[in-house]
Amino acid sequence: MSHPDTKQRILSAAEHHFARDGYHATSLRNITTTAKVNLAAVNYHFGSKEALLEAVIERRLSPLNKSRLGQLEALLHQAEQLGELPACRDILRTFIEPTLHLRQQDSETEDFVALIGRILAEPRGIAMSIFMQHMGPLMERLFQALCLSLPELSRETLFWRLHFAIGSLSHIMRCHERHAKVPEGISVDLPGDALVDRFLDFTTAGMEAKG
């Protein structure tokens, strides 16, 4: 009989090794050694290394996306009830705020943030395919909301601006505090809410710029 926490230990060990070494460089032996389980336990819970990778991504991404989508739908519903267009900044906040707060929750999310950074830095392969499969519906809904908010801009313009915003968010998530040199008097250790507001100032200005 498998111990109740065996599955979570496997997921955490896999998340750590996938983040540190990459999917292809990580062997199941690495994972089982760290999780202190045998290979049969991995096969029992997941069936394959690829299925394990998907479970690792889904474990944290699904609740995050649920939160982001829930906030977005509530915002769109409220705007519709008021007969108003949803504000661009508010739309962006539904995606950006939960994302930036993820990196500040606790040490348990550090490996996941690093894993997503690795996936985005290595855009080809099974990891990116799985990640985009889980992100696709949310990104489509976010894009639709921005088109509704900024009808004066073309869909192509909004697509590229959202693309640039996501790229900036990826940079912040992965390495903004790791710069070797920071100008004197500049602090990169901002409180969570301050970082969200500064990032929203930047991205909203970019999204709303005249086309």
Side-chain angles (χ1 to χ4, degrees):
M1 180 70 67
S2 181
H3 196 273
D5 69 349
T6 297
K7 185 174 182 179
Q8 294 305 313
R9 292 210 318 272
I10 295 170
L11 285 168
S12 294
E15 183 178 70
H16 173 73
H17 283 288
F18 290 155
R20 188 186 68 177
D21 304 320
Y23 173 72
H24 294 291
T26 297
S27 68
L28 289 178
R29 182 179 294 276
N30 296 145
I31 295 168
T32 56
T33 299
T34 299
K36 296 181 173 59
V37 300
N38 56 38
L39 184 58
V42 176
N43 291 331
Y44 173 77
H45 286 290
F46 304 101
S48 69
K49 183 180 173 184
E50 183 177 321
L52 174 56
L53 172 64
E54 181 161 15
V56 165
I57 293 172
E58 185 176 20
R59 178 172 66 153
R60 299 198 197 277
L61 191 59
S62 287
L64 177 62
N65 281 349
K66 183 178 180 180
S67 173
R68 293 191 286 205
L69 187 58
Q71 291 182 39
L72 177 58
E73 295 296 353
L75 172 67
L76 295 175
H77 178 73
Q78 181 182 42
E80 183 179 14
Q81 293 296 106
L82 295 173
E84 301 174 350
L85 294 179
C88 174
R89 185 186 182 94
D90 292 339
I91 291 171
L92 292 173
R93 181 183 291 277
T94 67
F95 186 85
I96 289 167
E97 189 170 54
T99 307
L100 290 180
H101 282 174
L102 177 71
R103 69 187 301 279
Q104 296 176 323
Q105 283 179 5
D106 50 51
S107 60
E108 289 186 3
T109 63
E110 185 175 346
D111 282 335
F112 180 70
V113 170
L115 173 59
I116 298 305
R118 178 180 284 274
I119 290 172
L120 295 175
E122 301 172 357
R124 295 181 181 178
I126 186 61
M128 176 58 96
S129 177
I130 293 171
F131 178 71
M132 291 310 300
Q133 179 180 341
H134 286 276
M135 287 299 300
L138 173 63
M139 296 308 299
E140 183 176 350
R141 189 66 174 130
L142 183 66
F143 179 65
Q144 291 172 352
L146 289 169
C147 289
L148 180 64
S149 176
L150 301 168
E152 70 278 11
L153 297 176
S154 71
R155 287 169 57 84
E156 183 176 0
T157 296
L158 287 172
F159 169 81
W160 279 107
R161 290 181 181 182
L162 179 58
H163 186 66
F164 298 150
I166 298 302
S168 299
L169 182 60
S170 173
H171 175 74
I172 291 294
M173 290 294 288
R174 288 185 290 129
C175 58
H176 90 283
E177 79 282 11
R178 296 187 179 93
H179 288 300
K181 296 182 179 180
V182 177
E184 185 177 351
I186 301 297
S187 172
V188 295
D189 188 23
L190 291 175
D193 290 341
L195 180 60
V196 169
D197 285 337
R198 290 195 183 192
F199 192 79
L200 284 171
D201 289 342
F202 174 78
T203 52
T204 303
M207 291 298 301
E208 294 181 339
K210 292 183 178 180

